[in-house]
Amino acid sequence: MKVIILWSLIFVLAITCIALKRHIRWLPLLLVIVMVTFFSLLSPEGKLLGEFLGLHITLGALLSGLFRSGILVFLQLFSKIAISSKIPLPGKAGKFIKAVFADYEKLTSEKFLLKGKKLKGIMEAIDERLLTVWNEENL
């Protein structure tokens, strides 16, 4: 039941993100769902639903994987909505949270792993992007 409620909330958040015109990369979210659910299936628990290529697919492991991946997707979509909201947050904690969301938005606003048509080294690309954001803030 909790999996159904969680995925219903994710559906509402996805519709809200689309309505607010927030940029969401759907392929990485889909990969998170597939990979977390797959690795959850490696530790079978509960009622056996079937077998696929020697892998026992059980109800407990499937629900556990869908719940865990749902939490990650929920947090990603919620952070996209929280960034766009104009909710005033009082005090030092509010300033800190606003700064974290602003940095998150800057870091995820553009694709930085591709340079031209060539895939750059992941760590090099992340370092360059972090330095760019850092330099923008400290000018």
Side-chain angles (χ1 to χ4, degrees), residues 13-114:
L13 285 176
I15 297 297
T16 306
C17 285
I18 291 169
L20 292 174
K21 298 179 182 170
R22 302 304 295 169
H23 177 70
I24 298 170
R25 295 190 183 117
W26 297 104
L27 184 60
L29 291 178
L30 181 64
L31 288 174
V32 165
I33 295 166
V34 169
M35 295 308 291
V36 170
T37 304
F38 172 75
F39 284 111
S40 181
L41 290 174
L42 294 178
S43 57
E45 61 179 85
K47 182 181 176 186
L48 182 65
L49 297 176
E51 187 174 333
F52 181 73
L53 299 174
L55 178 67
H56 295 288
I57 300 172
T58 60
L59 182 62
L62 183 62
L63 290 176
S64 174
L66 288 173
F67 183 75
R68 290 175 183 173
S69 64
I71 292 291
L72 294 173
V73 172
F74 176 83
L75 291 173
Q76 175 72 23
L77 293 176
F78 181 75
S79 68
K80 290 288 185 182
I81 292 172
I83 288 171
S84 67
S85 66
K86 304 289 185 202
I87 301 170
L89 301 171
K92 289 183 181 180
K95 288 180 183 177
F96 174 74
I97 290 172
K98 239 181 212 182
V100 168
F101 281 142
D103 290 342
Y104 174 76
E105 185 173 21
K106 288 178 188 175
L107 288 172
T108 60
S109 64
E110 64 184 57
K111 294 180 183 178
F112 59 89
L113 289 179
L114 292 175

